Amino acid sequence: MQDLKPSITYAFLIIVSTLLLSPKLAASSSDNFNFGDEVFIQCGTTEYPDLGSTKIARIFMGLMDMISMEIKKQGWSTESLINPLTQIFALGECRSDLNSSICLKCFHHAREHLSQCLPKVAGRVFMDGCFLRYDNYSFFNEAIDKKYDQSVCIKSPLKENMESDSNATVLYGFQERAGRAVTNVTETAPGAVQKFAVNGDNKDVFAVAQCWHTLDREGCERCLRRAGRKLNDCIVVNDEGKSMLAGCFLKYSTRKFYAEEFNENAVKESNGQLIKN
Ligand SMILES: *[C@@H]1O[C@H](CO)[C@@H](O)[C@H](O)[C@H]1NC(C)=O
Ligand SMILES: *[C@@H]1O[C@H](CO)[C@@H](O)[C@H](O)[C@H]1NC(C)=O
Ligand SMILES: *[C@@H]1O[C@H](CO)[C@@H](O)[C@H](O)[C@H]1NC(C)=O
Ligand SMILES: *[C@@H]1O[C@H](CO)[C@@H](O)[C@H](O)[C@H]1NC(C)=O
């Protein structure tokens, strides 16, 4: 995507980091994990030529309706519309640990945010539980995007204190466990059926990695390696960090943010649908 202007809504992040600071709130937030709280939007800078904004909005809505139906069934979807005047491609994908009602809810929020990009030729939105992008070319196997791939870190006062006390033993221990969790999901996801992995081995650090279903294994590995490198600086002392790349999503947190009941063994594939025991 050559012409995106990064525009990130930090207001949502502030809400989330406030939640993280309170153990009580954090506990209740993991019950209904706040998939929709953090929103990162990037919109293209150029507009579709020869198309009125009403027309492009109609096309967009049509595409989104098609994606909505598939998302409900299998948690992800790609759609495209190609005619002599224009071509538009869209990809939507939910985090694989979310059930279909949560997924659909996340998608509806994402769609609403993304519609703000119209009538630009491109836009993408990362929420905590889902990803949605449209563009004027087929980007479905794009693993990385040097210009627009991003990562964010969140730090709590607790960690601020640890850092200023510079208790190297504690800091290094955390860094090491966070690094292990991130490395584990980064290496596991590309070979998994859903291209998705979670890790909570260390009890105090949780990680999730996911590639879009449209990537092949090599693209997924490339994306997650880069996503992991982007978190290196976060891991030193932050409670939470995530990478949001063209082809994948990687997050770790001291809070168990993925679905409580989820574990890899509970996911089976049946007609492309997720089934949770
Ligand atoms: C989906 O997950 C949410 C959060 O865990 C839960 O509250 C809801 O009951 C689930 N819905 C279904 C249909 O399983
Ligand atoms: C997509 O839009 C960009 C920016 O307007 C333009 O340069 C490019 O040619 C377009 N690509 C296609 C396939 O239409
Ligand atoms: C650092 O933390 C560890 C583990 O809690 C503790 O054993 C050690 O005494 C602390 N060191 C300093 C210098 O505070
Ligand atoms: C990741 O962690 C799981 C669970 O502890 C373990 O079984 C698996 O071998 C690890 N995989 C890698 C590649 O580290």
Side-chain angles (χ1 to χ4, degrees), residues 184 187-188 199 201:
N184 183 276
E187 288 174 359
T188 307
N199 186 282
D201 285 353

Side-chain angles (χ1 to χ4, degrees), residues 5-273:
K5 196 165 116 250
S7 94
I8 293 168
T9 40
Y10 279 111
F12 293 93
L13 266 184
I14 291 160
I15 294 165
V16 166
S17 54
T18 314
L19 282 176
L20 280 173
L21 310 186
S22 149
K24 197 149 172 255
L25 276 175
S28 74
S29 81
S30 76
D31 294 343
N32 52 13
F33 42 109
N34 296 300
F35 56 86
D37 287 348
E38 307 167 24
V39 183
F40 296 85
I41 304 177
Q42 298 171 320
C43 296
T45 49
T46 57
E47 300 187 357
Y48 278 100
D50 313 323
L51 272 183
S53 55
T54 317
K55 182 147 192 206
I56 188 66
R58 247 197 332 260
I59 294 173
F60 177 83
M61 291 309 167
L63 270 183
M64 291 300 133
D65 285 344
M66 292 195 283
I67 287 191
S68 176
M69 285 188 282
E70 287 303 306
I71 279 255
K72 200 172 161 187
K73 279 192 272 180
Q74 61 173 15
W76 70 280
S77 175
T78 59
E79 296 292 346
S80 57
L81 190 147
I82 299 165
N83 68 32
L85 265 184
T86 184
Q87 50 176 357
I88 173 167
F89 299 80
L91 163 75
E93 174 128 13
C94 286
R95 236 174 49 206
S96 290
D97 58 304
L98 303 183
N99 64 33
S100 76
S101 57
I102 296 270
C103 167
L104 201 58
K105 223 156 139 183
C106 188
F107 167 76
H108 285 144
H109 284 291
R111 163 190 181 152
E112 205 174 299
H113 287 293
L114 196 63
S115 68
Q116 294 166 16
C117 288
L118 297 171
K120 307 296 188 203
V121 298
R124 53 177 116 170
V125 54
F126 282 90
M127 320 253 304
D128 214 39
C130 59
F131 169 73
L132 185 58
R133 172 178 173 183
Y134 77 95
D135 215 314
N136 69 346
Y137 69 98
S138 176
F139 57 86
F140 299 150
N141 58 8
E142 216 168 86
I144 64 175
D145 182 337
K146 291 219 156 74
K147 203 162 165 192
Y148 297 106
D149 288 347
Q150 57 183 319
S151 61
V152 292
C153 306
I154 299 173
K155 188 190 290 188
S156 72
L158 177 73
K159 290 283 189 319
E160 302 265 12
N161 291 339
M162 273 166 58
E163 193 173 37
S164 59
D165 291 350
S166 63
N167 186 328
T169 315
V170 172
L171 273 186
Y172 181 73
F174 176 76
Q175 182 181 351
E176 209 248 332
R177 290 190 300 281
R180 253 202 326 256
V182 165
T183 303
N184 183 276
V185 294
T186 301
E187 288 174 359
T188 307
V193 180
Q194 299 287 335
K195 293 209 174 61
F196 172 77
V198 302
N199 186 282
D201 285 353
N202 300 306
K203 312 283 191 284
D204 64 345
V205 192
F206 304 90
V208 160
Q210 180 165 357
C211 294
W212 313 150
H213 277 76
T214 49
L215 287 198
D216 59 14
R217 183 177 181 142
E218 187 274 329
C220 181
E221 283 167 353
R222 213 150 45 89
C223 188
L224 285 176
R225 270 201 303 272
R226 177 172 164 80
R229 278 198 304 274
K230 278 182 164 295
L231 291 186
N232 279 346
D233 293 338
C234 284
I235 283 171
V236 176
V237 67
N238 292 279
D239 297 271
E240 188 164 308
K242 59 182 172 181
S243 287
M244 296 166 284
L245 274 53
C248 64
F249 175 83
L250 174 62
K251 174 175 174 176
Y252 79 90
S253 176
T254 51
R255 173 177 69 104
K256 187 172 181 192
F257 59 95
Y258 47 88
E260 209 55 51
E261 73 282 7
F262 186 85
N263 76 68
E264 197 85 21
N265 303 329
V267 177
K268 299 189 179 68
E269 193 136 16
S270 157
N271 302 326
Q273 279 192 257

